[in-house]
């Protein structure tokens, strides 16, 4: 059984814009990352991290590859994947907007940005 991707999303800060026919929403974006979101999975364009929805009868829960043992909401899973993109995109200048986007994602996850960076650097040495 193949899963169909409902939408290809570009995530900006924590402001999401749906991408249509390869053209992003015309609203200005502070930080643009590629996180691919569908009903059952979220993947990163930067590294091999992912989130997957767990089947259940109640509220949807998500598991994120770099946060083992934690069950997250869909918004938290998107924030976790967005953080991966923000931390690993070397083409983006380090500025206040980037730090603010990382801090917002970390706050939604209930973790410190430095702890997220340390966990990801352990998983991807040399990056």
């Amino acid at each position: 059984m193949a899963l169909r991707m409902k939408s290809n999303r570009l995530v900006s800060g924590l402001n999401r814009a749906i991408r249509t026919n390869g053209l992003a929403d015309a609203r200005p974006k502070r930080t643009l990352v590629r996180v691919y979101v569908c009903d059952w999975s979220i993947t990163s364009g930067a590294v091999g991290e992912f989130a997957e929805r767990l089947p259940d009868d109640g509220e949807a829960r998500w598991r994120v590859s770099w946060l083992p043992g934690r069950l997250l909401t869909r918004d938290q899973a998107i924030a976790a994947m967005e953080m991966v993109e923000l931390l690993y995109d070397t083409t983006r200048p380090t500025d206040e907007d980037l730090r603010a986007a990382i801090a917002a994602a970390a706050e939604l996850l209930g973790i410190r940005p430095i702890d997220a960076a340390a966990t990801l650097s352990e998983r991807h040495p040399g990056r």
Side-chain angles (χ1 to χ4, degrees):
M1 177 170 122
L3 295 176
R4 287 182 37 189
M5 183 177 286
K6 278 195 167 181
S7 65
N8 178 9
R9 292 189 181 214
L10 295 177
V11 181
S12 173
L14 289 177
N15 301 317
R16 287 150 184 92
I18 297 177
R19 187 174 151 162
T20 314
N21 296 329
L23 300 174
D25 188 336
R27 290 175 289 177
K29 305 288 188 267
R30 286 192 326 235
T31 41
L32 190 64
V33 295
R34 290 192 189 279
V35 172
Y36 302 95
V37 179
C38 70
D39 287 345
W40 290 93
S41 68
I42 305 168
T43 57
S44 162
V47 293
E49 300 293 349
F50 63 91
E52 62 185 355
R53 183 177 171 187
L54 301 175
D56 65 0
D57 294 331
E59 185 178 341
R61 292 288 173 205
W62 291 76
R63 182 181 76 81
V64 174
S65 58
W66 66 273
L67 293 170
R70 289 191 60 185
L71 294 179
L72 305 174
T73 66
R74 184 174 190 271
D75 286 343
Q76 288 174 316
I78 291 171
M81 297 307 298
E82 176 186 46
M83 186 179 292
V84 168
E85 293 281 324
L86 292 170
L87 290 170
Y88 279 102
D89 185 354
T90 58
T91 64
R92 185 182 340 263
T94 302
D95 61 14
E96 276 305 309
D97 287 342
L98 176 63
R99 285 191 285 279
I102 291 169
E107 183 177 340
L108 186 60
L109 294 168
I111 60 176
R112 297 181 313 167
I114 191 68
D115 295 332
T119 298
L120 287 165
S121 68
E122 288 174 5
R123 292 177 61 88
H124 303 279
R127 282 208 62 160

